[in-house]
Amino acid sequence: MASDRSLVVLAFGIAAIIVCLVNAEKGDIDISICENMTESNTTSCAEKIANGDLPSVVCYRMDRRHKECCETCLRYRVTGETEACRYGDGEPSRCTGKDFQPSTCYYREYQTCCQTCRQYVKTDTTGKQRTQCKYGDRNPDQCMGSSFHPGQCYNKERYSCCETCPKYIRKDRNGRDLECKYEDNPKSCRGKNFDESTCYWRYRGECCHACRRRVRTFGVLKSPPTGDCKYGDRRPEFCKSLDPYDCNDNEGSCCQTCAPFQLTIKGCKYGDFPIIFDTDEGIFDCTDYLAVYGPEQCEDSLIRDKCCHTCWKSEKTKNISLLLATPLHIPDEE
């Protein structure tokens, strides 16, 4: 039996070489690509295929490794295919049946189903094959049914629902996309529970219309916030308990809350540091400490830095007192 099997394999290999030579004479196959490869010291590709392995599976894996496999696999090359799809579908069983959808080609177009997927490539309005969204929606189940709303397309149009979303784009009378080109998702963007602080990341998302209506101007504030604060605080609940000095680290998140706390004192934007002085006289904050030990304490750079607002007020009071104590000089009349 062993000798019979050897004869079969030998005959198979000879047949493959004959086919290669015949095709080479026709100009279909270039057998020179196998010349510089080493001989295989493992089970031959011809034997693997004779034993029932799929030629495409064997050849994609082995044809670049050994001369014998290279020569054997030449006969299985698909005429007219690209080098990347030289043996057609790598796993044909995964390219048919109810479980196969064109969207799976995004993940299987390289070798696994390369030949089958080519027939599903969509064309653009000029008839050319697409390079983007070439197989339609990547996740079709997410792009239909009651759970899908056009408002979700801001996040899905470039990936999951690239085929479906463009159908819902709203345009102006000149045919240009509107700034809010998709309808808002009513489940997320309406009602008293809608949190406008989420507009910082949902404005170009499913609540574009709702967020445009909630842009704040802060015209009534004496000290309007600086920077991007058009929807107020980004973390409203957190900002409610904020002390002025905390704004040094949180003004980006609490721009609306921090705005009224801002001072125009250089290096003292949000007032005194919440420091406590534990002294023989008691425990004091900046105001009480200077009241007990005198404003001259501000000559210490550390205290002046930590009690910047209190020291500034003390210096201002001192200057006013000096001004009031200065005699008013009225020149004599001639």
Side-chain angles (χ1 to χ4, degrees):
M1 292 295 292
S3 58
D4 293 342
R5 183 177 178 180
S6 299
L7 289 173
V8 171
V9 172
L10 178 62
F12 187 87
I14 293 173
I17 294 173
I18 292 173
V19 170
C20 288
L21 292 173
V22 171
N23 286 334
E25 291 177 358
K26 295 179 181 179
D28 295 329
I29 297 175
D30 181 9
I31 61 173
S32 65
I33 62 176
C34 306
E35 289 180 356
N36 296 324
M37 295 186 181
T38 59
E39 297 289 345
S40 172
N41 56 4
T42 60
T43 303
S44 70
C45 287
E47 187 174 353
K48 288 178 179 292
I49 294 171
N51 287 337
D53 288 356
L54 284 175
S56 57
V57 173
V58 173
C59 291
Y60 276 126
R61 188 170 64 245
M62 303 294 294
D63 71 342
R64 300 288 175 82
R65 298 183 181 182
H66 305 295
K67 184 176 181 180
E68 181 274 327
C69 285
C70 177
E71 293 175 345
T72 296
C73 291
L74 285 175
R75 68 172 301 186
Y76 295 103
R77 282 181 171 250
V78 178
T79 303
E81 279 294 347
T82 63
E83 184 65 14
C85 194
R86 56 193 179 277
Y87 303 114
D89 291 339
E91 300 179 50
S93 63
R94 300 181 63 187
C95 309
T96 57
K98 62 180 182 179
D99 293 332
F100 176 80
Q101 298 182 49
S103 59
T104 60
C105 287
Y106 285 111
Y107 317 103
R108 297 179 186 175
E109 65 179 344
Y110 179 72
Q111 292 187 353
T112 303
C113 300
C114 58
Q115 190 174 20
T116 296
C117 286
R118 188 170 291 110
Q119 63 183 296
Y120 291 103
V121 176
K122 294 181 177 290
T123 57
D124 59 22
T125 54
T126 65
K128 295 182 179 180
Q129 289 189 337
R130 295 180 188 172
T131 56
Q132 302 292 327
C133 200
K134 63 181 182 179
Y135 299 115
D137 293 335
R138 288 176 180 264
N139 297 299
D141 294 341
Q142 297 181 15
C143 310
M144 62 181 73
S146 58
S147 62
F148 172 77
H149 189 276
Q152 298 169 349
C153 283
Y154 288 105
N155 299 321
K156 293 183 176 183
E157 65 179 339
R158 293 184 180 179
Y159 191 79
S160 300
C161 304
C162 59
E163 177 81 10
T164 296
C165 285
K167 301 174 184 177
Y168 293 96
I169 293 177
R170 298 152 59 95
K171 298 181 179 293
D172 62 19
R173 63 182 62 186
N174 296 316
R176 294 173 299 196
D177 292 358
L178 294 174
E179 182 179 2
C180 293
K181 61 182 180 180
Y182 296 112
E183 295 180 3
D184 284 356
N185 187 343
K187 294 180 180 180
S188 304
C189 312
R190 298 177 186 172
K192 61 181 181 180
N193 293 325
F194 176 70
D195 182 359
E196 61 194 33
S197 67
T198 62
C199 286
Y200 284 108
W201 52 271
R202 294 167 82 181
Y203 171 64
R204 293 302 300 169
E206 58 184 343
C207 299
C208 183
H209 292 279
C211 289
R212 288 187 66 182
R213 294 192 293 268
R214 285 167 168 78
V215 174
R216 299 187 177 188
T217 61
F218 299 104
V220 298
L221 288 180
K222 183 178 179 180
S223 301
T226 57
D228 182 11
C229 195
K230 60 184 178 181
Y231 302 115
D233 292 336
R234 286 171 167 76
R235 302 169 62 190
E237 290 302 315
F238 167 78
C239 299
K240 287 179 181 179
S241 59
L242 219 61
D243 289 324
Y245 191 84
D246 294 329
C247 289
N248 285 298
D249 297 321
N250 297 287
E251 65 177 346
S253 299
C254 304
C255 55
Q256 181 182 354
T257 295
C258 290
F261 296 148
Q262 290 184 21
L263 303 174
T264 56
I265 305 169
K266 184 178 180 180
C268 192
K269 188 174 183 179
Y270 291 109
D272 293 341
F273 187 86
I275 190 171
I276 296 296
F277 295 93
D278 188 357
T279 72
D280 294 337
E281 301 295 330
I283 297 177
F284 305 120
D285 59 12
C286 287
T287 301
D288 292 336
Y289 182 76
L290 263 62
V292 173
Y293 290 97
E296 60 272 13
Q297 299 299 319
C298 290
E299 296 176 6
D300 185 316
S301 60
L302 178 61
I303 292 177
R304 187 169 61 251
D305 179 58
K306 299 300 183 183
C307 300
C308 58
H309 191 205
T310 300
C311 286
W312 177 86
K313 289 189 293 183
S314 176
E315 184 67 22
K316 186 176 181 180
T317 301
K318 179 182 177 181
N319 291 338
I320 293 174
S321 298
L322 289 173
L323 180 63
L324 293 175
T326 302
L328 182 63
H329 177 69
I330 301 175
D332 296 333
E333 295 183 1
E334 294 182 357

